[in-house]
Amino acid sequence: MDLSGKTAIVTGSARGIGLAIAKKISQAGARVVISDLNQETVDDVAASMVGEAIGVKVNVTSAGEVEALFARTIEKFGRVDVVVNNAGITRDTLLVRMDEKDWDMVLDINLKGAFLVTKSAAKLMMKQRSGRIINISSVVGLNGNAGQANYAASKAGLIGLTKTVAKELGSRGVTVNAIAPGFIETEMTESLPEVAKKQFLDYTLTKRAGTPDDIASAVLFLASEEAAYITGQVLAVDGGMSIV
């Protein structure tokens, strides 16, 4: 799965799943744009890539900053071939205890951010008549999860966005797909109580947590020519959790 000559933007790529995706895409030959909230961090991550890469500080909830991200990418690399909407946060609590600001923040970053990035990507990819947009959803967006009403709503919304944009861009040579990770070992999940981790594993057929590299491998496939005839789909990378 060779991405030589391609340019990829990965949001939220300073750590965790986003970092693993950026590394995998870079190793496949793509030029990578690392985007996250801290300029020094994204510069350091870009310097660690095996191929050509730049770091761009971006708050994905800001339309102006997202537009600047794409302008900088075009200035440096001339095109955008792959976009991975990975930026996301959690603010977990039961619905009756959830603050409105925590609802708004999760929806803004996880869903509005993906909308703004996808909108900018679509304009360029339609002109190119080629491109790959890959959204990182969640098994929670498929099945829901107690204590994550905001997160589940944002990730379910991302699936709806994926299918709609796939219909709008399919005739222009642009594919749009989503990946729904299950329980993945990251800094975010490391902070979960042990009882919660055990519960997730009990519902995972493989009886192990996934790794960021498991998700990155799926992204690489969807970004490649091997996936040229796949669009509007949701690939669950969850050890079977979504079918239990």
Side-chain angles (χ1 to χ4, degrees), residues 59-203:
N59 178 345
V60 294
T61 68
S62 166
E65 290 192 27
V66 169
E67 289 171 4
L69 165 66
F70 280 83
R72 175 73 177 108
T73 303
I74 293 298
E75 176 189 23
K76 179 66 176 178
F77 298 127
R79 58 186 293 117
V80 178
D81 301 287
V82 179
V83 167
V84 183
N85 283 306
N86 169 75
I89 63 166
T90 58
R91 292 292 184 274
D92 296 349
T93 192
L94 294 174
L95 178 67
V96 294
R97 299 175 183 168
M98 188 173 290
D99 290 334
E100 184 179 353
K101 64 180 178 60
D102 287 335
W103 173 273
D104 289 343
M105 184 182 298
V106 171
L107 270 291
D108 275 354
I109 293 172
N110 297 9
L111 186 54
K112 179 186 174 182
F115 154 70
L116 292 174
V117 172
T118 300
K119 183 178 179 181
S120 288
K123 292 176 182 178
L124 293 171
M125 291 177 176
M126 287 172 71
K127 291 178 182 178
Q128 295 172 177
R129 300 194 71 84
S130 68
R132 302 280 190 269
I133 299 171
I134 302 163
N135 297 321
I136 306 302
S137 181
S138 172
V139 65
V140 168
L142 295 170
N143 297 340
N145 191 42
Q148 291 190 302
N150 47 6
Y151 187 72
S154 71
K155 294 302 187 177
L158 201 50
I159 291 171
L161 178 67
T162 298
K163 292 178 178 293
T164 298
V165 180
K167 291 183 176 182
E168 293 183 4
L169 302 185
S171 64
R172 303 298 185 94
V174 181
T175 67
V176 189
N177 292 288
I179 292 172
F183 181 53
I184 308 298
E185 292 177 335
T186 65
E187 290 180 28
M188 188 182 294
T189 58
E190 182 60 32
S191 62
L192 291 172
E194 288 302 318
V195 63
K197 294 179 186 178
K198 183 179 183 304
Q199 184 179 32
F200 277 121
L201 290 176
D202 285 344
Y203 284 98

